């Protein structure tokens, strides 16, 4: 067990004794000795930056890959899902705020070396690891070491992330990463008002992952009065069309009151269904709804002949008709990583 691991991506500030700057995420925290960065898990000890969560997960479990959500990446497979405490954003609606917004010492965690994580996956006959629940960026060193071992063993690495990370570390991670679901939250002002970050670096990180061939799916949580206007939905869709492509799956998800947004009402299902329609009408091929009961919005339709090819219910695949990744009716290739 290691209590602290020297962090990657930081530098000493010239002429400022033992004051350092973390360069992992766009916050570029300047950290004095004895202090921590904004994520609460990276600490300056005598002029060196340490990760306080290396080999200290607070949560590990098995989830269907559809729950992340990934709908076009090894359907029906289970993912060994792992998290440590901490996050570099502070969304007022965080569903996992008990662990994401806590300091490591306030969270019950346990010791688990990277090789033990791989053993756990192997023992459970799981072929996918997912870095998820909180924000994997802030447990970067731990994630990277697990991901390297996983790749050697033929196990796939996936992240569920806010993508608020700098270009160099995300490019390095991409050497080992297979798929990423990115929470693409809304406009720049939404990021600033609700999440404690800003949007530009997220766009850059998404583009890097896409360019490097990582399978990408995007999730947009729709919050009434915050990012539910037609204009904002269209803006997200246009950005995807302009910078990625129409085959990138987009998941619209309904908000439920939680954490610091208990006074906001849940998103009405019709709003989420309408957002999907707007995105499909604008030309995206695979758009889904989440957190509501909507069979159509959980189904993959062939973009060519429009017939259903994968039917899901409650994050489980009910029927998968694809043949070698193609539509069984017209032979159209369905974008994704199927086997
Ligand atoms: S990873 Fe943490 S310490 Fe580093 S810049 Fe981001 S918030 Fe600050
Ligand atoms: Zn078809």
């Amino acid at each position: 067990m290691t209590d602290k691991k020297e962090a990657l991506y930081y530098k000493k500030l010239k002429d400022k004794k033992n004051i350092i700057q973390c360069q992992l995420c766009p916050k570029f925290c300047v950290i004095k000795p004895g202090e921590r960065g904004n994520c609460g898990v990276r600490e300056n000890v005598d002029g060196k930056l340490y990760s306080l969560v290396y080999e200290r997960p607070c949560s590990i479990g098995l989830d269907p890959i559809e729950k992340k959500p990934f709908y076009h990446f090894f359907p029906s497979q289970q993912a060994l899902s792992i998290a440590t405490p901490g996050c570099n954003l502070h969304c007022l609606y965080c569903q996992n705020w008990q662990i994401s917004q806590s300091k490591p010492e306030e969270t019950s965690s346990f010791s688990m070396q990277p090789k033990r994580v791989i053993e756990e996956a192997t023992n459970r006959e799981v072929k996918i690891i997912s870095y998820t629940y909180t924000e994997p960026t802030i447990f970067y060193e731990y994630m990277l070491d697990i991901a390297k071992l996983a790749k050697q063993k033929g196990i796939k690495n996936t992240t569920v992330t806010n993508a608020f990370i700098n270009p160099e570390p995300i490019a390095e991670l991409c050497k080992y990463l297979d798929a990423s679901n990115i929470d693409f939250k809304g406009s720049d002002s939404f990021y600033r008002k609700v999440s404690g970050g800003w949007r530009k670096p997220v766009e850059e990180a998404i583009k890097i992952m896409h360019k490097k061939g990582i399978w990408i799916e995007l999730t947009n949580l729709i919050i009434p009065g915050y990012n539910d206007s037609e204009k904002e939905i269209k803006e997200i869709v246009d950005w995807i069309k302009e910078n990625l492509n129409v085959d990138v799956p987009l998941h619209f998800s309904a908000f439920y009151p939680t954490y610091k947004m208990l006074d906001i009402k849940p998103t009405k299902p019709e709003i989420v269904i309408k957002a999907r329609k707007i995105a499909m009408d604008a030309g995206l091929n695979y758009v889904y709804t989440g957190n509501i009961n909507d069979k159509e919005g959980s189904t993959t339709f062939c973009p060519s002949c429009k017939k259903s090819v994968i039917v899901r219910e409650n994050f489980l695949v009910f029927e998968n008709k694809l043949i070698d990744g193609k539509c069984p009716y017209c032979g159209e290739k369905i974008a994704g990583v199927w086997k």
Side-chain angles (χ1 to χ4, degrees), residues 22-29 31 37-39 42 88 137-138:
C22 178
Q23 303 194 303
L24 177 59
C25 98
K27 292 202 167 164
F28 286 107
C29 297
I31 311 171
N38 180 266
C39 55
R42 302 171 80 77
N88 55 349
T137 297
I138 60 85

Side-chain angles (χ1 to χ4, degrees), residues 107-213:
T107 315
S108 113
S109 59
F110 46 94
S111 165
M112 200 165 190
Q113 293 176 343
K115 67 174 187 204
R116 277 282 304 116
V117 178
I118 302 299
E119 278 167 21
E120 192 71 23
T122 310
N123 291 344
R124 298 189 190 209
E125 298 182 356
V126 171
K127 287 286 182 197
I128 302 171
I129 294 177
S130 195
Y131 309 94
T132 179
Y133 304 139
T134 57
E135 175 46 50
T137 297
I138 60 85
F139 58 93
Y140 185 90
E141 294 78 9
Y142 187 37
M143 168 170 61
L144 192 67
D145 283 356
I146 299 169
K148 285 178 181 174
L149 287 180
K151 194 172 170 77
Q152 283 171 14
K153 299 274 180 195
I155 296 170
K156 305 290 179 200
N157 290 299
T158 65
T159 53
V160 180
T161 177
N162 60 30
F164 197 69
I165 182 170
N166 284 333
E168 202 187 325
I170 191 61
E172 175 64 17
L173 181 69
C174 282
K175 293 178 187 167
Y176 311 97
L177 192 61
D178 295 284
S180 185
N181 186 304
I182 299 127
D183 192 13
F184 198 34
K185 298 173 190 291
S187 64
D188 185 65
S189 69
F190 178 93
Y191 271 88
R192 288 173 193 273
K193 198 159 62 181
V194 179
S195 296
W198 52 101
R199 181 165 130 162
K200 193 76 190 155
V202 177
E203 294 179 3
E204 294 310 313
I206 295 173
K207 285 195 266 184
I208 290 170
M209 285 188 255
H210 186 64
K211 206 166 155 194
K212 290 195 176 286

Side-chain angles (χ1 to χ4, degrees), residues 302 305 327 330 332:
C302 169
C305 71
C327 170
C330 73
E332 175 81 0

Side-chain angles (χ1 to χ4, degrees), residues 266-285:
T267 316
K268 289 183 180 149
E270 53 265 35
I271 301 290
V272 189
I273 290 167
K274 189 175 162 205
R276 175 173 178 267
K277 186 172 182 322
I278 292 169
M280 302 269 307
D281 288 348
L284 294 194
N285 280 333

Side-chain angles (χ1 to χ4, degrees), residues 297-308:
S298 305
T299 301
T300 302
F301 294 92
C302 169
S304 176
C305 71
K306 312 294 180 202
K307 291 189 174 142
S308 72

